[in-house]
Amino acid sequence: MAEKTVLNQTEEKQEKKKVLFSGIQPSGKITIGNYVGAIKNWLTLQEDYDSIFCIVDLHAITVAQEPSELRANTWNLLALYLACGLNPEKSTIFVQSHVPCHAELAWALNTVTYVGELNRMTQFKDKCARHADNINMGLMDYPVLMASDILLYQTDLVPVGADQKQHLELSRDIAQRFNSRYGTTFVVPEPYIAKHGSRIMSLQDAGAKMSKSDENENAFISMTDTPDEIRRKFKRAVTDSDTRVRFGDDKPEISNLLTIYSAFAGCTVQEAEKEFEGAGYGVFKPRIADAVIAVLEPIQKEQKRLLADKAYLNTVLAEGAEKAYYRARRTLTKVYKKLGFVPRA
């Protein structure tokens, strides 16, 4: 009884905050782009919002995965969430496949989603081009599962990057269509635009986002890279022939490096420009590496410690799944009632 009272009190406090949902796939190596663009911002968001952070393993299998690697990547990502500072007492942290409601709601939402909408998704076209030997229905249906992730928790806000805006728009359309057909059921989510967000680009092509699926390992810095690897990758980072350290549209490579430095050194881009005024790339690149290493080393140490404590990680997942399931089931029950399903006795 005491536990239920505490749970109810927690829910009452959370109901006063807007609900925020976000997640990362446990595939490939998590990069500093994922950290700066998502995880680092989550640390602040968990203080101000009723935050739900998911490890979206169901999404990951739309591209062929080695099962043992997917399992290891899931543990690694959970440990990374915690090592970076996400607090399971402040946020709901769980693995997507541990809450069956995600897949169940996705099936229901498929009935109010049109094939033409899914065919137009830019990411679907891109993934089909990159994985021509495995164009499966999961690739096409990915946005509907994403809509399910969001709508299950009556989410108010979703942090989105440029590559996910189209999917969020579809989630809004699906929510509005369902509400119009069956009566108000879902909160229509809004995009959350970070006040101090930074988009980190590839070290080899400043026109492309830094990606954990990039085949060129020199293009990204992994959150688990060693100091030597980090220094080597920054040393090889593409620059231009003008050796001035200056931010501008005509210097995309240096602008990207300045963005990275400012994110890890805790300064503005303008302050970074002043700091390196008159210095060449030979001075600038090692200093970026030093700033990144200074942030990553304690995170890596804590991640390693957490991975050695599977009992604690299992507890985090079990408690997170329980909290998530309780909320998700309420929404799914409402959806099933609206659809006309006979309730389970």
Side-chain angles (χ1 to χ4, degrees):
M1 184 65 70
E3 289 182 2
K4 288 186 178 180
T5 301
V6 171
L7 183 61
N8 290 337
Q9 290 174 346
T10 301
E11 286 170 1
E12 287 173 6
K13 290 178 182 178
Q14 288 178 335
E15 285 173 1
K16 297 176 183 178
K17 294 182 177 181
K18 287 190 174 183
V19 178
L20 181 140
F21 180 95
S22 195
I24 296 176
Q25 288 189 41
S27 57
K29 296 180 178 179
I30 305 303
T31 73
I32 60 170
N34 300 121
Y35 173 73
V36 173
I39 299 175
K40 185 181 179 186
N41 288 326
W42 294 354
L43 304 183
T44 302
L45 296 176
Q46 72 178 347
E47 303 295 334
D48 301 326
Y49 296 94
D50 176 7
S51 300
I52 302 169
F53 300 122
C54 188
I55 296 174
V56 288
D57 55 346
L58 294 177
H59 284 291
I61 62 170
T62 57
V63 174
Q65 302 287 336
E66 177 61 41
S68 60
E69 290 182 8
L70 178 61
R71 194 171 297 111
N73 286 340
T74 301
W75 286 118
N76 288 335
L77 184 52
L78 172 61
L80 181 65
Y81 277 8
L82 302 175
C84 288
L86 291 186
N87 187 341
E89 294 182 6
K90 295 180 179 180
S91 304
T92 300
I93 302 170
F94 69 104
V95 172
Q96 186 185 27
S97 62
H98 289 184
V99 181
C101 303
H102 287 256
E104 293 179 72
L105 180 60
W107 178 254
L109 296 182
N110 275 324
T111 65
V112 292
T113 306
Y114 304 130
V115 173
E117 292 175 309
L118 299 180
N119 273 328
R120 288 194 293 271
M121 293 291 110
T122 302
Q123 201 170 89
F124 172 63
K125 295 176 183 177
D126 291 345
K127 285 194 173 184
C128 284
R130 284 189 281 122
H131 304 280
D133 60 337
N134 184 30
I135 301 176
N136 59 75
M137 283 306 302
L139 280 176
M140 175 177 277
D141 211 37
Y142 182 109
V144 183
L145 179 57
M146 180 175 166
S148 174
D149 298 337
I150 295 165
L151 301 182
L152 262 179
Y153 301 99
Q154 304 296 343
T155 301
D156 297 292
L157 297 168
V158 183
V160 288
D163 57 338
Q164 293 290 348
K165 284 182 180 177
Q166 194 180 32
H167 288 172
L168 181 59
E169 282 302 317
L170 180 63
S171 297
R172 289 172 50 81
D173 290 344
I174 290 171
Q176 290 167 339
R177 192 174 299 146
F178 193 99
N179 288 347
S180 177
R181 187 176 298 182
Y182 296 105
T184 302
T185 308
F186 299 116
V187 170
V188 179
E190 297 286 343
Y192 174 86
I193 308 300
K195 295 178 182 178
H196 305 291
S198 299
R199 194 169 187 226
I200 305 301
M201 312 305 284
S202 165
L203 298 182
Q204 297 297 310
D205 177 7
K209 189 176 86 168
M210 183 178 286
S211 171
K212 55 190 170 72
S213 60
D214 200 313
E215 293 181 2
N216 182 357
E217 293 216 347
N218 288 317
F220 62 86
I221 304 293
S222 163
M223 291 294 288
T224 56
D225 279 347
T226 66
D228 285 345
E229 288 172 328
I230 293 169
R231 290 191 176 94
R232 175 176 54 78
K233 289 181 181 182
F234 277 118
K235 186 176 181 180
R236 294 180 179 179
V238 173
T239 54
D240 54 29
S241 55
D242 175 6
T243 59
R244 288 183 61 199
V245 179
R246 178 177 58 81
F247 193 93
D249 292 339
D250 58 331
K251 292 174 72 70
E253 294 86 4
I254 298 305
S255 297
N256 184 42
L257 294 178
L258 278 166
T259 299
I260 293 172
Y261 180 78
S262 66
F264 283 88
C267 63
T268 65
V269 168
Q270 293 71 27
E271 288 169 341
E273 280 184 296
K274 289 181 181 179
E275 182 179 345
F276 293 102
E277 190 173 356
Y281 299 160
V283 173
F284 180 45
K285 286 184 174 182
R287 291 281 292 279
I288 307 172
D290 289 341
V292 171
I293 291 166
V295 172
L296 294 195
E297 279 192 320
I299 292 175
Q300 292 171 351
K301 183 178 179 181
E302 178 63 4
Q303 183 185 23
K304 186 176 180 180
R305 185 191 70 79
L306 288 165
L307 285 169
D309 190 354
K310 281 291 176 64
Y312 173 69
L313 295 181
N314 273 314
T315 298
V316 170
L317 287 186
E319 292 179 353
E322 184 178 1
K323 287 194 292 183
Y325 179 79
Y326 176 78
R327 299 173 68 163
R329 194 70 212 176
R330 283 192 302 182
T331 296
L332 190 63
T333 298
K334 185 189 298 185
V335 168
Y336 280 2
K337 184 178 181 180
K338 294 286 182 74
L339 289 171
F341 293 168
V342 173
R344 179 178 174 179

